[in-house]
Amino acid sequence: MLLDNRGLEPPQPMMRTLAALEDLDRGQSLVIINDRRPMFLFEQLDELGYLYLTEQQEDGSYKVTISRKAG
């Protein structure tokens, strides 16, 4: 699942991401693209038990791949 959050003002990207995670099945990943590094989202993901990989893109945006921890 891909969620493009570019162009949205905070807190919309985080709200959209957390809502999408509720629909994520085990074994699936959610890929989000944000204009900036989603620091506050990382805290939430840690608390909720998600794994994430962050990659800065050439255009300055951030691609974050989020998945559930096994078990």
Side-chain angles (χ1 to χ4, degrees):
M1 182 186 300
L2 175 66
L3 191 61
D4 189 342
N5 290 323
R6 290 176 290 188
L8 299 176
E9 290 298 317
Q12 286 299 315
M14 185 160 87
M15 292 172 60
R16 290 182 75 212
T17 300
L18 293 174
L21 286 173
E22 291 178 9
D23 296 331
L24 198 65
D25 292 328
R26 194 167 289 285
Q28 282 187 316
S29 292
L30 172 65
V31 176
I32 64 168
I33 302 174
N34 284 19
D35 289 320
R36 51 188 76 78
R37 196 165 195 262
M39 298 304 298
F40 296 112
L41 175 64
F42 297 150
E43 295 172 15
Q44 289 289 318
L45 295 175
D46 287 336
E47 287 180 19
L48 295 170
Y50 287 93
L51 299 173
Y52 50 91
L53 173 67
T54 307
E55 303 168 78
Q56 187 169 10
Q57 305 299 291
E58 288 184 15
D59 66 358
S61 66
Y62 286 84
K63 174 182 163 186
V64 183
T65 304
I66 305 166
S67 58
R68 289 188 182 273
K69 289 183 182 175

Short mmCIF file of all heavy atoms in Angstrom, two decimals:
data_model
loop_
_atom_site.label_atom_id
_atom_site.label_comp_id
_atom_site.label_asym_id
_atom_site.label_seq_id
_atom_site.Cartn_x
_atom_site.Cartn_y
_atom_site.Cartn_z
N MET A 1 0.85 -1.16 0.00
CA MET A 1 0.00 0.00 0.00
C MET A 1 0.90 1.24 0.00
O MET A 1 1.87 1.30 0.74
CB MET A 1 -0.88 -0.02 1.26
CG MET A 1 -1.86 1.12 1.34
SD MET A 1 -2.81 1.21 2.89
CE MET A 1 -3.66 -0.34 2.88
N LEU A 2 0.58 2.21 -0.83
CA LEU A 2 1.36 3.44 -0.96
C LEU A 2 0.48 4.62 -0.57
O LEU A 2 -0.66 4.72 -1.03
CB LEU A 2 1.88 3.62 -2.38
CG LEU A 2 2.60 4.92 -2.68
CD1 LEU A 2 3.90 5.01 -1.89
CD2 LEU A 2 2.86 5.07 -4.16
N LEU A 3 1.01 5.49 0.27
CA LEU A 3 0.29 6.68 0.71
C LEU A 3 1.18 7.89 0.47
O LEU A 3 2.24 8.02 1.09
CB LEU A 3 -0.04 6.53 2.21
CG LEU A 3 -0.99 7.51 2.83
CD1 LEU A 3 -2.36 7.45 2.16
CD2 LEU A 3 -1.14 7.20 4.32
N ASP A 4 0.77 8.76 -0.44
CA ASP A 4 1.54 9.96 -0.77
C ASP A 4 1.00 11.12 0.07
O ASP A 4 -0.10 11.61 -0.18
CB ASP A 4 1.43 10.25 -2.26
CG ASP A 4 2.38 11.34 -2.71
OD1 ASP A 4 2.88 12.11 -1.85
OD2 ASP A 4 2.62 11.44 -3.93
N ASN A 5 1.77 11.54 1.05
CA ASN A 5 1.36 12.61 1.95
C ASN A 5 1.98 13.97 1.60
O ASN A 5 1.84 14.92 2.36
CB ASN A 5 1.77 12.27 3.40
CG ASN A 5 0.98 11.13 3.97
OD1 ASN A 5 -0.21 10.99 3.71
ND2 ASN A 5 1.63 10.29 4.74
N ARG A 6 2.63 14.06 0.45
CA ARG A 6 3.27 15.32 0.07
C ARG A 6 2.22 16.41 -0.14
O ARG A 6 1.14 16.15 -0.64
CB ARG A 6 4.11 15.14 -1.19
CG ARG A 6 5.34 14.29 -0.94
CD ARG A 6 6.11 14.03 -2.19
NE ARG A 6 5.33 13.12 -3.03
CZ ARG A 6 5.78 12.57 -4.14
NH1 ARG A 6 6.99 12.84 -4.58
NH2 ARG A 6 5.02 11.75 -4.84
N GLY A 7 2.57 17.61 0.28
CA GLY A 7 1.69 18.75 0.10
C GLY A 7 0.68 18.94 1.23
O GLY A 7 -0.05 19.93 1.23
N LEU A 8 0.66 18.03 2.20
CA LEU A 8 -0.27 18.15 3.32
C LEU A 8 0.41 18.82 4.50
O LEU A 8 1.59 18.61 4.75
CB LEU A 8 -0.77 16.76 3.74
CG LEU A 8 -1.53 15.97 2.69
CD1 LEU A 8 -1.86 14.59 3.24
CD2 LEU A 8 -2.81 16.69 2.29
N GLU A 9 -0.35 19.61 5.23
CA GLU A 9 0.18 20.27 6.42
C GLU A 9 0.01 19.37 7.64
O GLU A 9 -0.98 18.64 7.74
CB GLU A 9 -0.57 21.59 6.66
CG GLU A 9 -0.27 22.66 5.62
CD GLU A 9 1.19 23.06 5.61
OE1 GLU A 9 1.78 23.23 6.70
OE2 GLU A 9 1.75 23.22 4.52
N PRO A 10 0.97 19.42 8.57
CA PRO A 10 0.83 18.65 9.81
C PRO A 10 -0.46 19.08 10.53
O PRO A 10 -0.81 20.25 10.47
CB PRO A 10 2.06 19.04 10.62
CG PRO A 10 3.05 19.53 9.61
CD PRO A 10 2.23 20.15 8.51
N PRO A 11 -1.14 18.17 11.17
CA PRO A 11 -0.79 16.77 11.43
C PRO A 11 -1.39 15.78 10.43
O PRO A 11 -1.45 14.59 10.70
CB PRO A 11 -1.39 16.54 12.83
CG PRO A 11 -2.67 17.33 12.78
CD PRO A 11 -2.32 18.57 11.97
N GLN A 12 -1.86 16.28 9.28
CA GLN A 12 -2.55 15.41 8.32
C GLN A 12 -1.73 14.18 7.89
O GLN A 12 -2.26 13.08 7.86
CB GLN A 12 -2.99 16.20 7.08
CG GLN A 12 -4.18 17.10 7.34
CD GLN A 12 -5.40 16.31 7.77
OE1 GLN A 12 -5.74 15.29 7.21
NE2 GLN A 12 -6.06 16.80 8.81
N PRO A 13 -0.43 14.33 7.55
CA PRO A 13 0.32 13.13 7.15
C PRO A 13 0.33 12.04 8.22
O PRO A 13 0.14 10.86 7.92
CB PRO A 13 1.73 13.67 6.87
CG PRO A 13 1.50 15.09 6.48
CD PRO A 13 0.37 15.55 7.36
N MET A 14 0.51 12.43 9.48
CA MET A 14 0.55 11.44 10.55
C MET A 14 -0.82 10.82 10.76
O MET A 14 -0.93 9.60 10.91
CB MET A 14 1.05 12.04 11.86
CG MET A 14 1.22 10.98 12.94
SD MET A 14 2.30 11.45 14.28
CE MET A 14 1.16 12.28 15.34
N MET A 15 -1.87 11.62 10.71
CA MET A 15 -3.22 11.09 10.90
C MET A 15 -3.58 10.11 9.79
O MET A 15 -4.15 9.05 10.05
CB MET A 15 -4.22 12.25 10.97
CG MET A 15 -4.05 13.09 12.23
SD MET A 15 -5.06 14.58 12.25
CE MET A 15 -6.70 13.89 12.14
N ARG A 16 -3.26 10.46 8.55
CA ARG A 16 -3.55 9.57 7.42
C ARG A 16 -2.77 8.27 7.53
O ARG A 16 -3.28 7.20 7.25
CB ARG A 16 -3.20 10.25 6.09
CG ARG A 16 -4.12 11.38 5.71
CD ARG A 16 -3.76 11.98 4.38
NE ARG A 16 -4.17 11.07 3.31
CZ ARG A 16 -3.54 10.93 2.16
NH1 ARG A 16 -2.44 11.61 1.90
NH2 ARG A 16 -3.98 10.10 1.25
N THR A 17 -1.49 8.38 7.96
CA THR A 17 -0.65 7.20 8.08
C THR A 17 -1.17 6.26 9.17
O THR A 17 -1.30 5.05 8.94
CB THR A 17 0.81 7.61 8.38
OG1 THR A 17 1.29 8.42 7.31
CG2 THR A 17 1.69 6.39 8.54
N LEU A 18 -1.49 6.80 10.34
CA LEU A 18 -1.99 5.96 11.43
C LEU A 18 -3.32 5.31 11.06
O LEU A 18 -3.56 4.14 11.39
CB LEU A 18 -2.11 6.78 12.71
CG LEU A 18 -0.79 7.26 13.30
CD1 LEU A 18 -1.04 8.19 14.49
CD2 LEU A 18 0.10 6.09 13.70
N ALA A 19 -4.18 6.02 10.34
CA ALA A 19 -5.45 5.45 9.89
C ALA A 19 -5.21 4.30 8.90
O ALA A 19 -5.86 3.26 8.97
CB ALA A 19 -6.33 6.52 9.26
N ALA A 20 -4.26 4.48 7.99
CA ALA A 20 -3.95 3.44 7.01
C ALA A 20 -3.37 2.20 7.68
O ALA A 20 -3.63 1.07 7.25
CB ALA A 20 -2.99 3.97 5.95
N LEU A 21 -2.61 2.40 8.75
CA LEU A 21 -2.01 1.26 9.45
C LEU A 21 -3.08 0.36 10.08
O LEU A 21 -2.88 -0.84 10.22
CB LEU A 21 -1.03 1.73 10.52
CG LEU A 21 0.30 2.27 10.00
CD1 LEU A 21 1.11 2.86 11.14
CD2 LEU A 21 1.08 1.19 9.27
N GLU A 22 -4.22 0.95 10.45
CA GLU A 22 -5.30 0.17 11.03
C GLU A 22 -5.84 -0.86 10.04
O GLU A 22 -6.36 -1.89 10.44
CB GLU A 22 -6.43 1.09 11.50
CG GLU A 22 -6.04 1.93 12.70
CD GLU A 22 -7.15 2.86 13.14
OE1 GLU A 22 -8.28 2.74 12.63
OE2 GLU A 22 -6.88 3.71 14.01
N ASP A 23 -5.73 -0.57 8.74
CA ASP A 23 -6.23 -1.47 7.70
C ASP A 23 -5.16 -2.42 7.17
O ASP A 23 -5.41 -3.21 6.27
CB ASP A 23 -6.79 -0.66 6.52
CG ASP A 23 -7.99 0.18 6.93
OD1 ASP A 23 -8.72 -0.23 7.86
OD2 ASP A 23 -8.20 1.24 6.31
N LEU A 24 -3.95 -2.31 7.71
CA LEU A 24 -2.83 -3.11 7.22
C LEU A 24 -2.91 -4.53 7.77
O LEU A 24 -3.03 -4.74 8.97
CB LEU A 24 -1.53 -2.45 7.67
CG LEU A 24 -0.25 -2.85 6.94
CD1 LEU A 24 -0.30 -2.43 5.48
CD2 LEU A 24 0.95 -2.22 7.62
N ASP A 25 -2.88 -5.50 6.89
CA ASP A 25 -2.88 -6.91 7.30
C ASP A 25 -1.47 -7.34 7.67
O ASP A 25 -0.48 -6.78 7.19
CB ASP A 25 -3.39 -7.80 6.16
CG ASP A 25 -4.86 -7.59 5.87
OD1 ASP A 25 -5.62 -7.28 6.81
OD2 ASP A 25 -5.26 -7.74 4.70
N ARG A 26 -1.39 -8.35 8.53
CA ARG A 26 -0.08 -8.90 8.91
C ARG A 26 0.64 -9.37 7.64
O ARG A 26 0.05 -9.99 6.78
CB ARG A 26 -0.28 -10.07 9.88
CG ARG A 26 1.00 -10.46 10.58
CD ARG A 26 0.75 -11.38 11.75
NE ARG A 26 0.12 -10.75 12.90
CZ ARG A 26 0.73 -9.94 13.76
NH1 ARG A 26 2.00 -9.63 13.56
NH2 ARG A 26 0.10 -9.43 14.80
N GLY A 27 1.91 -9.03 7.55
CA GLY A 27 2.69 -9.40 6.37
C GLY A 27 2.70 -8.34 5.30
O GLY A 27 3.51 -8.40 4.38
N GLN A 28 1.81 -7.36 5.39
CA GLN A 28 1.80 -6.26 4.43
C GLN A 28 2.68 -5.13 4.92
O GLN A 28 2.94 -5.02 6.13
CB GLN A 28 0.39 -5.70 4.25
CG GLN A 28 -0.53 -6.51 3.39
CD GLN A 28 -1.84 -5.75 3.16
OE1 GLN A 28 -2.41 -5.18 4.08
NE2 GLN A 28 -2.30 -5.76 1.92
N SER A 29 3.09 -4.28 4.01
CA SER A 29 3.84 -3.08 4.36
C SER A 29 3.10 -1.86 3.85
O SER A 29 2.37 -1.94 2.85
CB SER A 29 5.23 -3.10 3.73
OG SER A 29 6.01 -4.11 4.31
N LEU A 30 3.30 -0.76 4.53
CA LEU A 30 2.76 0.53 4.10
C LEU A 30 3.95 1.41 3.75
O LEU A 30 4.89 1.53 4.54
CB LEU A 30 1.95 1.18 5.22
CG LEU A 30 1.49 2.62 4.98
CD1 LEU A 30 0.51 2.68 3.81
CD2 LEU A 30 0.85 3.19 6.24
N VAL A 31 3.93 2.00 2.56
CA VAL A 31 4.98 2.92 2.14
C VAL A 31 4.35 4.31 2.10
O VAL A 31 3.32 4.51 1.46
CB VAL A 31 5.53 2.55 0.74
CG1 VAL A 31 6.55 3.58 0.28
CG2 VAL A 31 6.14 1.16 0.76
N ILE A 32 4.95 5.24 2.84
CA ILE A 32 4.47 6.61 2.81
C ILE A 32 5.55 7.50 2.22
O ILE A 32 6.74 7.20 2.31
CB ILE A 32 4.06 7.12 4.21
CG1 ILE A 32 5.26 7.18 5.16
CG2 ILE A 32 2.93 6.28 4.78
CD1 ILE A 32 4.99 7.94 6.45
N ILE A 33 5.11 8.59 1.60
CA ILE A 33 6.03 9.60 1.08
C ILE A 33 5.61 10.93 1.70
O ILE A 33 4.47 11.36 1.56
CB ILE A 33 5.99 9.67 -0.46
CG1 ILE A 33 6.33 8.31 -1.05
CG2 ILE A 33 6.95 10.75 -0.96
CD1 ILE A 33 6.18 8.22 -2.54
N ASN A 34 6.55 11.55 2.42
CA ASN A 34 6.29 12.81 3.12
C ASN A 34 7.25 13.88 2.64
O ASN A 34 8.35 13.58 2.21
CB ASN A 34 6.50 12.64 4.64
CG ASN A 34 5.37 11.91 5.32
OD1 ASN A 34 4.58 11.22 4.70
ND2 ASN A 34 5.30 12.06 6.63
N ASP A 35 6.82 15.13 2.77
CA ASP A 35 7.68 16.25 2.41
C ASP A 35 8.87 16.38 3.36
O ASP A 35 9.93 16.82 2.98
CB ASP A 35 6.90 17.57 2.45
CG ASP A 35 5.91 17.68 1.31
OD1 ASP A 35 6.25 17.27 0.19
OD2 ASP A 35 4.78 18.16 1.55
N ARG A 36 8.66 16.00 4.63
CA ARG A 36 9.71 16.14 5.64
C ARG A 36 9.83 14.85 6.44
O ARG A 36 8.95 14.01 6.39
CB ARG A 36 9.44 17.34 6.55
CG ARG A 36 8.06 17.37 7.13
CD ARG A 36 7.73 18.66 7.86
NE ARG A 36 7.43 19.82 7.06
CZ ARG A 36 6.29 20.06 6.44
NH1 ARG A 36 5.31 19.19 6.50
NH2 ARG A 36 6.11 21.16 5.77
N ARG A 37 10.89 14.73 7.19
CA ARG A 37 11.12 13.53 8.01
C ARG A 37 10.08 13.49 9.13
O ARG A 37 10.00 14.44 9.92
CB ARG A 37 12.54 13.58 8.58
CG ARG A 37 13.04 12.28 9.11
CD ARG A 37 14.54 12.34 9.29
NE ARG A 37 15.07 11.01 9.45
CZ ARG A 37 15.35 10.47 10.63
NH1 ARG A 37 15.14 11.15 11.74
NH2 ARG A 37 15.81 9.25 10.69
N PRO A 38 9.28 12.43 9.22
CA PRO A 38 8.16 12.39 10.17
C PRO A 38 8.59 11.97 11.59
O PRO A 38 8.29 10.88 12.07
CB PRO A 38 7.22 11.36 9.55
CG PRO A 38 8.13 10.43 8.81
CD PRO A 38 9.27 11.28 8.32
N MET A 39 9.29 12.87 12.28
CA MET A 39 9.86 12.55 13.59
C MET A 39 8.80 12.11 14.61
O MET A 39 9.01 11.16 15.35
CB MET A 39 10.60 13.78 14.14
CG MET A 39 11.77 14.21 13.28
SD MET A 39 12.99 12.91 12.99
CE MET A 39 13.52 12.59 14.66
N PHE A 40 7.68 12.80 14.67
CA PHE A 40 6.65 12.45 15.65
C PHE A 40 5.99 11.13 15.32
O PHE A 40 5.55 10.40 16.20
CB PHE A 40 5.62 13.57 15.78
CG PHE A 40 6.21 14.85 16.31
CD1 PHE A 40 6.30 15.97 15.51
CD2 PHE A 40 6.71 14.91 17.60
CE1 PHE A 40 6.86 17.14 15.99
CE2 PHE A 40 7.27 16.09 18.10
CZ PHE A 40 7.35 17.20 17.28
N LEU A 41 5.92 10.80 14.04
CA LEU A 41 5.37 9.51 13.63
C LEU A 41 6.24 8.37 14.14
O LEU A 41 5.72 7.34 14.58
CB LEU A 41 5.25 9.44 12.10
CG LEU A 41 4.79 8.09 11.55
CD1 LEU A 41 3.37 7.77 12.01
CD2 LEU A 41 4.88 8.08 10.04
N PHE A 42 7.56 8.54 14.10
CA PHE A 42 8.46 7.48 14.55
C PHE A 42 8.18 7.11 16.00
O PHE A 42 8.20 5.93 16.37
CB PHE A 42 9.92 7.89 14.38
CG PHE A 42 10.33 8.12 12.95
CD1 PHE A 42 11.32 9.04 12.64
CD2 PHE A 42 9.73 7.44 11.90
CE1 PHE A 42 11.73 9.25 11.33
CE2 PHE A 42 10.11 7.65 10.58
CZ PHE A 42 11.11 8.55 10.30
N GLU A 43 7.92 8.10 16.85
CA GLU A 43 7.60 7.83 18.25
C GLU A 43 6.34 6.96 18.36
O GLU A 43 6.29 6.02 19.15
CB GLU A 43 7.40 9.14 19.01
CG GLU A 43 8.66 9.98 19.11
CD GLU A 43 8.40 11.36 19.69
OE1 GLU A 43 7.31 11.57 20.28
OE2 GLU A 43 9.27 12.23 19.56
N GLN A 44 5.33 7.29 17.57
CA GLN A 44 4.08 6.53 17.57
C GLN A 44 4.32 5.11 17.09
O GLN A 44 3.78 4.16 17.66
CB GLN A 44 3.04 7.21 16.67
CG GLN A 44 2.50 8.49 17.22
CD GLN A 44 1.59 8.25 18.41
OE1 GLN A 44 0.78 7.33 18.40
NE2 GLN A 44 1.72 9.06 19.43
N LEU A 45 5.10 4.96 16.03
CA LEU A 45 5.37 3.63 15.48
C LEU A 45 6.10 2.76 16.49
O LEU A 45 5.81 1.57 16.62
CB LEU A 45 6.17 3.74 14.18
CG LEU A 45 5.46 4.41 13.02
CD1 LEU A 45 6.41 4.56 11.84
CD2 LEU A 45 4.20 3.67 12.62
N ASP A 46 7.04 3.35 17.22
CA ASP A 46 7.76 2.61 18.25
C ASP A 46 6.79 2.12 19.33
O ASP A 46 6.84 0.96 19.74
CB ASP A 46 8.85 3.48 18.89
CG ASP A 46 10.05 3.71 17.98
OD1 ASP A 46 10.28 2.87 17.07
OD2 ASP A 46 10.75 4.71 18.18
N GLU A 47 5.90 3.00 19.76
CA GLU A 47 4.93 2.65 20.80
C GLU A 47 3.97 1.56 20.33
O GLU A 47 3.57 0.70 21.11
CB GLU A 47 4.13 3.87 21.23
CG GLU A 47 4.91 4.85 22.07
CD GLU A 47 4.09 6.05 22.48
OE1 GLU A 47 2.84 5.99 22.43
OE2 GLU A 47 4.70 7.08 22.85
N LEU A 48 3.61 1.59 19.05
CA LEU A 48 2.65 0.64 18.50
C LEU A 48 3.30 -0.67 18.04
O LEU A 48 2.61 -1.60 17.66
CB LEU A 48 1.89 1.27 17.33
CG LEU A 48 0.99 2.45 17.71
CD1 LEU A 48 0.49 3.17 16.46
CD2 LEU A 48 -0.18 1.99 18.57
N GLY A 49 4.63 -0.73 18.06
CA GLY A 49 5.32 -1.96 17.71
C GLY A 49 5.54 -2.19 16.23
O GLY A 49 5.57 -3.33 15.77
N TYR A 50 5.72 -1.12 15.47
CA TYR A 50 5.99 -1.24 14.04
C TYR A 50 7.48 -1.07 13.76
O TYR A 50 8.18 -0.37 14.49
CB TYR A 50 5.22 -0.19 13.23
CG TYR A 50 3.75 -0.46 13.12
CD1 TYR A 50 2.85 0.08 14.03
CD2 TYR A 50 3.25 -1.27 12.11
CE1 TYR A 50 1.50 -0.17 13.92
CE2 TYR A 50 1.89 -1.52 11.99
CZ TYR A 50 1.02 -0.97 12.91
OH TYR A 50 -0.32 -1.23 12.81
N LEU A 51 7.93 -1.69 12.69
CA LEU A 51 9.29 -1.49 12.18
C LEU A 51 9.19 -0.49 11.03
O LEU A 51 8.18 -0.47 10.31
CB LEU A 51 9.87 -2.80 11.66
CG LEU A 51 10.02 -3.93 12.68
CD1 LEU A 51 10.44 -5.20 11.97
CD2 LEU A 51 11.03 -3.55 13.74
N TYR A 52 10.24 0.30 10.81
CA TYR A 52 10.20 1.25 9.71
C TYR A 52 11.61 1.50 9.17
O TYR A 52 12.59 1.42 9.90
CB TYR A 52 9.54 2.56 10.12
CG TYR A 52 10.07 3.16 11.40
CD1 TYR A 52 11.12 4.06 11.38
CD2 TYR A 52 9.51 2.81 12.62
CE1 TYR A 52 11.62 4.60 12.55
CE2 TYR A 52 9.99 3.35 13.80
CZ TYR A 52 11.04 4.25 13.76
OH TYR A 52 11.53 4.77 14.92
N LEU A 53 11.66 1.77 7.90
CA LEU A 53 12.90 2.10 7.20
C LEU A 53 12.69 3.43 6.49
O LEU A 53 11.71 3.58 5.75
CB LEU A 53 13.24 1.01 6.17
CG LEU A 53 14.41 1.29 5.26
CD1 LEU A 53 15.71 1.30 6.05
CD2 LEU A 53 14.48 0.27 4.15
N THR A 54 13.57 4.39 6.74
CA THR A 54 13.43 5.73 6.18
C THR A 54 14.51 5.98 5.13
O THR A 54 15.67 5.70 5.38
CB THR A 54 13.55 6.79 7.30
OG1 THR A 54 12.64 6.46 8.33
CG2 THR A 54 13.27 8.17 6.77
N GLU A 55 14.09 6.50 3.98
CA GLU A 55 15.03 6.82 2.91
C GLU A 55 14.73 8.22 2.40
O GLU A 55 13.61 8.49 1.98
CB GLU A 55 14.87 5.84 1.75
CG GLU A 55 15.05 4.38 2.12
CD GLU A 55 14.59 3.48 0.98
OE1 GLU A 55 15.35 3.33 0.02
OE2 GLU A 55 13.47 2.95 1.08
N GLN A 56 15.75 9.09 2.43
CA GLN A 56 15.56 10.42 1.84
C GLN A 56 15.66 10.29 0.32
O GLN A 56 16.54 9.61 -0.20
CB GLN A 56 16.58 11.41 2.35
CG GLN A 56 16.29 12.82 1.88
CD GLN A 56 17.12 13.89 2.57
OE1 GLN A 56 18.07 13.58 3.29
NE2 GLN A 56 16.77 15.14 2.35
N GLN A 57 14.74 10.93 -0.37
CA GLN A 57 14.69 10.86 -1.83
C GLN A 57 15.46 12.03 -2.44
O GLN A 57 15.76 13.02 -1.76
CB GLN A 57 13.23 10.89 -2.30
CG GLN A 57 12.35 9.80 -1.68
CD GLN A 57 12.83 8.40 -2.00
OE1 GLN A 57 12.76 7.96 -3.14
NE2 GLN A 57 13.33 7.71 -0.99
N GLU A 58 15.75 11.92 -3.72
CA GLU A 58 16.54 12.95 -4.41
C GLU A 58 15.86 14.31 -4.38
O GLU A 58 16.53 15.34 -4.39
CB GLU A 58 16.82 12.54 -5.86
CG GLU A 58 17.82 11.41 -5.97
CD GLU A 58 18.16 11.08 -7.41
OE1 GLU A 58 17.85 11.89 -8.31
OE2 GLU A 58 18.73 10.02 -7.63
N ASP A 59 14.52 14.33 -4.35
CA ASP A 59 13.79 15.60 -4.36
C ASP A 59 13.65 16.19 -2.95
O ASP A 59 13.00 17.21 -2.77
CB ASP A 59 12.43 15.44 -5.01
CG ASP A 59 11.48 14.53 -4.23
OD1 ASP A 59 11.87 13.97 -3.18
OD2 ASP A 59 10.32 14.38 -4.68
N GLY A 60 14.24 15.54 -1.94
CA GLY A 60 14.18 16.04 -0.58
C GLY A 60 13.06 15.46 0.25
O GLY A 60 12.98 15.68 1.45
N SER A 61 12.16 14.71 -0.38
CA SER A 61 11.08 14.06 0.36
C SER A 61 11.61 12.82 1.06
O SER A 61 12.76 12.43 0.87
CB SER A 61 9.92 13.70 -0.58
OG SER A 61 10.33 12.71 -1.51
N TYR A 62 10.77 12.22 1.89
CA TYR A 62 11.16 11.02 2.64
C TYR A 62 10.20 9.88 2.34
O TYR A 62 8.98 10.07 2.39
CB TYR A 62 11.17 11.29 4.15
CG TYR A 62 12.34 12.12 4.57
CD1 TYR A 62 12.31 13.51 4.48
CD2 TYR A 62 13.51 11.52 5.03
CE1 TYR A 62 13.40 14.27 4.85
CE2 TYR A 62 14.61 12.28 5.40
CZ TYR A 62 14.55 13.65 5.30
OH TYR A 62 15.63 14.40 5.66
N LYS A 63 10.77 8.74 2.04
CA LYS A 63 10.00 7.52 1.82
C LYS A 63 10.20 6.65 3.06
O LYS A 63 11.34 6.37 3.45
CB LYS A 63 10.51 6.79 0.58
CG LYS A 63 9.88 5.45 0.33
CD LYS A 63 10.50 4.82 -0.92
CE LYS A 63 10.23 3.37 -0.98
NZ LYS A 63 10.94 2.73 -2.10
N VAL A 64 9.09 6.25 3.68
CA VAL A 64 9.16 5.42 4.89
C VAL A 64 8.36 4.14 4.63
O VAL A 64 7.18 4.20 4.26
CB VAL A 64 8.57 6.16 6.11
CG1 VAL A 64 8.72 5.31 7.37
CG2 VAL A 64 9.25 7.51 6.31
N THR A 65 9.02 3.01 4.79
CA THR A 65 8.36 1.71 4.65
C THR A 65 8.09 1.19 6.06
O THR A 65 9.02 1.06 6.86
CB THR A 65 9.25 0.73 3.87
OG1 THR A 65 9.57 1.32 2.60
CG2 THR A 65 8.55 -0.59 3.65
N ILE A 66 6.81 0.90 6.34
CA ILE A 66 6.39 0.51 7.68
C ILE A 66 5.82 -0.90 7.63
O ILE A 66 5.02 -1.22 6.75
CB ILE A 66 5.30 1.47 8.20
CG1 ILE A 66 5.79 2.92 8.14
CG2 ILE A 66 4.87 1.10 9.62
CD1 ILE A 66 4.70 3.95 8.31
N SER A 67 6.23 -1.74 8.59
CA SER A 67 5.69 -3.09 8.66
C SER A 67 5.55 -3.50 10.13
O SER A 67 6.15 -2.90 11.01
CB SER A 67 6.59 -4.09 7.92
OG SER A 67 7.89 -4.05 8.45
N ARG A 68 4.74 -4.53 10.35
CA ARG A 68 4.53 -5.01 11.72
C ARG A 68 5.70 -5.89 12.14
O ARG A 68 6.28 -6.59 11.31
CB ARG A 68 3.27 -5.87 11.79
CG ARG A 68 2.01 -5.11 11.65
CD ARG A 68 0.82 -6.04 11.93
NE ARG A 68 -0.43 -5.35 11.77
CZ ARG A 68 -1.03 -4.67 12.73
NH1 ARG A 68 -0.48 -4.59 13.91
NH2 ARG A 68 -2.17 -4.07 12.50
N LYS A 69 6.03 -5.85 13.42
CA LYS A 69 7.03 -6.77 13.94
C LYS A 69 6.46 -8.18 13.91
O LYS A 69 5.26 -8.37 14.14
CB LYS A 69 7.41 -6.40 15.37
CG LYS A 69 8.21 -5.14 15.49
CD LYS A 69 8.61 -4.87 16.92
CE LYS A 69 9.38 -3.58 17.03
NZ LYS A 69 9.67 -3.24 18.42
N ALA A 70 7.28 -9.15 13.64
CA ALA A 70 6.84 -10.55 13.62
C ALA A 70 6.48 -10.98 15.04
O ALA A 70 7.09 -10.54 16.01
CB ALA A 70 7.93 -11.45 13.07
N GLY A 71 5.47 -11.85 15.13
CA GLY A 71 5.08 -12.38 16.42
C GLY A 71 3.99 -11.61 16.96
O GLY A 71 3.31 -11.54 17.78
#
